[in-house]
């Protein structure tokens, strides 16, 4: 057993039946001051006030938190970290005034990453992806969803998903994989978008399913990418193989993507930089988690999602990094939390819940991650002594992690 003692604040406690937080619950972060926590076989066994801290036996390992906080590790429910190299040249194009859509329309963007991925070996892709996973773990993230979508033909999509599977098997972090064949139309299918959708439905999905390579299915349902009709077809084809949707919607326009996602029982609908009342209305009472990616808004200079309006309407929201080479080259969930507070006016408690329990829900792991709960994985961050939870997004660059428990 591991005993963590001298915890000044144990933060993010939730009962096991809480799988997500909605509306006013998002302001609630339960904590115990002056606490201990015990871990048995990687699982949280017990916690409480220090007066109840068990006396160690010879076999127990003691971790002295020395007055720091202990909190659940971040979950990052939306990333594209399986990519074959950065795209900093497009960053310069953007500085010089080109938009994300203009770069994509010139054959850059996602297609650039697909060309590079095609030339990259599986081993190299694996090392690059693992490097990013390790970078994220060091910043306090211990569950990561990773999408395909830079293959854009059957062989290369499978190559990506096999690499993600290898990552899943070799990292101590929890990994979920998502098939995103419909991220863009592959170069060979340029101008033949419907044929590409046929390929996704008839060839890619069955191939992915036959090797059990994906937990989820995603489509970039947005202006200039895939229509709502095409998205419906793809999600339908995925459903035949039990693939649950998590989709990209409303990044570039009010695309109707949220409505399609909800109609197909999506676990999450992600981006949502553009929202009208219709999107908020359709999400009410549904199991779909609206997920916002403020790192992409920051990097592309887009509007930030209307997180407050969602919460006021009684919905929960999750925040994720969208870590990818084009629109969000960072997997730092603390920065995401800070953007949530500064740019979306979330309280630190709302941002914290959005990056932990709700993010865990949005990737289907909230039974075992995202809060301090007996029986959940001991995926924890021990901090240096901090004045309060608000300090984390406030002083967003000050090193605060003392130790990662994974
Ligand atoms: O979530 N919006 C679509 N896909 C990614 C960007 C991928 C890329 O540019 O490489 C996103 O922002
Ligand atoms: Fe994305």
């Amino acid at each position: 057993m591991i005993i963590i003692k001298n915890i000044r604040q144990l933060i993010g406690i939730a009962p096991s039946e809480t799988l997500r937080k909605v509306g006013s619950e998002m302001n609630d972060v339960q904590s115990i001051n002056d606490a201990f926590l015990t871990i048995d076989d990687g699982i949280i066994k017990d916690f409480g006030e220090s007066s109840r801290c068990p006396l160690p036996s010879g076999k127990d390992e003691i971790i002295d938190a020395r007055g720091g906080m202990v909190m659940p590790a971040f979950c990052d429910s939306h990333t594209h970290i399986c990519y074959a190299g950065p795209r900093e040249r497009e960053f310069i194009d953007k500085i010089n005034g080109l938009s994300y859509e203009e770069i994509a329309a010139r054959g850059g963007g996602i297609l650039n990453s697909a060309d590079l991925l095609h030339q990259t070996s599986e081993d190299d892709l694996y090392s690059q992806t693992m490097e990013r996973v390790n970078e994220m773990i060091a910043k306090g993230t211990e569950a990561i969803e990773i999408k395909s979508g830079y293959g854009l033909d059957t062989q290369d999509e499978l190559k990506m998903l096999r690499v993600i599977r290898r990552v899943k098997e070799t990292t101590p972090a929890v990994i979920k994989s998502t098939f995103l064949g419909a991220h863009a139309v592959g170069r060979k299918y340029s101008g033949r978008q419907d044929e590409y959708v046929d390929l996704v439905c008839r060839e890619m999905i069955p191939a992915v399913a036959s090797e059990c390579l994906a937990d989820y299915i995603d489509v970039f349902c947005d202006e200039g990418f895939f229509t709502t009709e095409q998205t419906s077809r793809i999600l339908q084809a995925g459903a035949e193989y039990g693939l649950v949707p998590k989709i990209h919607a409303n990044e570039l326009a009010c695309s109707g993507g949220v409505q399609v996602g909800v109609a197909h029982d999506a676990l999450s609908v992600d981006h949502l930089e553009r929202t009208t009342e219709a999107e908020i209305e359709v999400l009410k009472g549904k199991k779909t988690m609206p997920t916002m990616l403020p790192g992409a808004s920051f990097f592309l200079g887009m509007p930030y999602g209307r997180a407050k309006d969602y919460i006021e309407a009684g919905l929960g929201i999750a925040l994720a990094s969208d870590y990818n080479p084009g629109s969000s080259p960072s997997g730092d969930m603390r920065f995401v939390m800070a953007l949530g507070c500064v740019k979306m006016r979330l309280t630190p408690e709302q941002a914290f819940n959005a990056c932990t329990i709700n993010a865990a829900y949005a990737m289907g792991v909230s039974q075992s991650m995202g809060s301090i709960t007996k029986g959940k994985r001991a995926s924890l961050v021990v901090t240096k002594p901090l004045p309060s939870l608000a300090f984390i997004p406030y002083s967003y660059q000050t090193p605060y992690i003392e130790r990662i428990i994974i």
Side-chain angles (χ1 to χ4, degrees):
M1 187 166 80
I2 297 173
I3 303 173
I4 311 179
K5 62 172 195 179
N6 288 333
I7 304 170
R8 197 181 78 89
Q9 212 176 15
L10 179 64
I11 209 155
I13 300 165
S16 54
E17 58 277 13
T18 302
L19 298 179
R20 62 172 162 170
K21 293 196 173 182
V22 299
S24 57
E25 294 164 1
M26 285 204 67
N27 247 325
D28 177 42
V29 174
Q30 284 179 35
S31 62
I32 298 177
N33 291 336
D34 191 14
F36 78 95
L37 181 143
T38 58
I39 302 169
D40 204 9
D41 209 11
I43 301 293
I44 298 174
K45 188 176 176 210
D46 196 11
F47 57 82
E49 286 174 13
S50 284
S51 54
R52 283 212 300 112
C53 187
L55 288 171
S57 77
K59 286 182 291 178
D60 295 335
E61 181 189 340
I62 311 276
I63 296 176
D64 188 346
R66 287 185 292 200
M69 277 184 185
V70 170
M71 57 183 228
F74 292 127
C75 298
D76 194 342
S77 65
H78 181 138
T79 83
H80 308 251
I81 56 171
C82 184
Y83 63 85
R87 302 208 308 260
E88 78 284 2
R89 254 177 269 159
E90 285 170 20
F91 173 57
I92 298 167
D93 291 339
K94 274 178 220 139
I95 293 169
N96 289 329
L98 283 189
S99 70
Y100 185 77
E101 292 96 315
E102 283 162 340
I103 292 169
R106 289 178 168 200
I110 296 167
L111 294 181
N112 235 334
S113 286
D115 292 343
L116 195 55
L117 186 127
H118 183 70
Q119 300 153 18
T120 303
S121 70
E122 276 193 36
D123 282 346
D124 186 358
L125 192 56
Y126 168 77
S127 324
Q128 291 195 42
T129 311
M130 276 302 269
E131 203 171 309
R132 295 178 195 118
V133 167
N134 291 333
E135 170 200 334
M136 292 170 76
I137 293 173
K139 287 186 180 290
T141 299
E142 297 188 23
I144 308 169
E145 183 257 18
I146 311 178
K147 299 173 192 296
S148 72
Y150 295 124
L152 309 181
D153 69 23
T154 308
Q155 280 323 311
D156 287 344
E157 282 295 310
L158 292 174
K159 169 169 148 182
M160 285 188 81
L161 290 167
R162 289 184 191 125
V163 166
I164 298 169
R165 178 169 60 193
R166 201 168 142 199
V167 170
K168 207 186 252 198
E169 288 164 357
T170 48
T171 173
V174 170
I175 305 290
K176 290 284 178 184
S177 67
T178 299
F179 167 63
L180 175 55
H183 195 193
V185 175
R187 266 200 215 283
K188 281 182 241 151
Y189 285 80
S190 175
R192 297 185 290 139
Q193 182 148 8
D194 278 322
E195 283 175 55
Y196 184 73
V197 173
D198 283 341
L199 180 80
V200 170
C201 295
R202 296 195 187 137
E203 192 176 292
M204 291 190 196
I205 292 173
V208 167
S210 78
E211 287 185 49
C212 295
L213 285 171
D215 300 300
Y216 302 113
I217 184 164
D218 191 348
V219 177
F220 190 6
C221 179
D222 223 318
E223 201 167 83
F225 288 84
F226 293 89
T227 65
T228 49
E229 291 74 23
Q230 291 167 335
T231 304
S232 260
R233 263 194 69 199
I234 294 167
L235 299 187
Q236 187 67 45
E240 283 167 31
Y241 293 90
L243 293 173
V244 174
K246 277 173 62 63
I247 70 167
H248 281 73
N250 295 43
E251 174 181 1
L252 308 171
C254 283
S255 59
V258 173
Q259 289 81 345
V260 179
V262 169
H264 288 268
D265 273 335
L267 182 57
S268 71
V269 287
D270 300 21
H271 268 290
L272 314 178
E273 286 85 355
R274 331 269 160 176
T275 299
T276 64
E277 296 317 304
E279 279 80 14
I280 294 179
E281 225 27 68
V282 81
L283 280 158
K284 284 186 182 166
K286 299 296 188 320
K287 66 168 209 184
T288 307
M289 178 64 74
T291 300
M292 296 175 191
L293 314 171
S297 299
F298 168 76
F299 196 74
L300 296 184
M302 294 186 296
Y304 287 83
R306 290 166 47 190
K308 279 287 205 204
D309 293 337
Y310 280 67
I311 294 171
E312 265 158 37
L315 299 171
I317 60 134
L319 296 178
S321 75
D322 199 16
Y323 193 174
N324 75 74
S327 65
S328 184
S330 160
D332 184 344
M333 286 297 285
R334 184 198 201 180
F335 181 53
V336 167
M337 202 178 154
L339 288 174
C341 294
V342 175
K343 297 293 190 179
M344 302 161 105
R345 315 217 62 81
L346 295 174
T347 63
E349 289 78 12
Q350 290 169 333
F352 176 81
N353 281 320
C355 294
T356 54
I357 187 77
N358 282 4
Y361 178 94
M363 58 184 291
V365 299
S366 65
Q367 307 268 8
S368 59
M369 304 267 306
S371 63
I372 305 291
T373 305
K374 285 179 204 170
K376 282 196 181 183
R377 290 173 67 105
S379 296
L380 308 171
V381 172
V382 182
T383 76
K384 300 181 194 303
L386 304 180
S388 67
L389 172 64
F391 183 86
I392 295 172
Y394 154 79
S395 189
Y396 65 99
Q397 297 250 291
T398 306
Y400 76 117
I401 296 178
E402 187 64 39
R403 180 172 185 147
I404 302 285
I405 297 177
I406 187 158

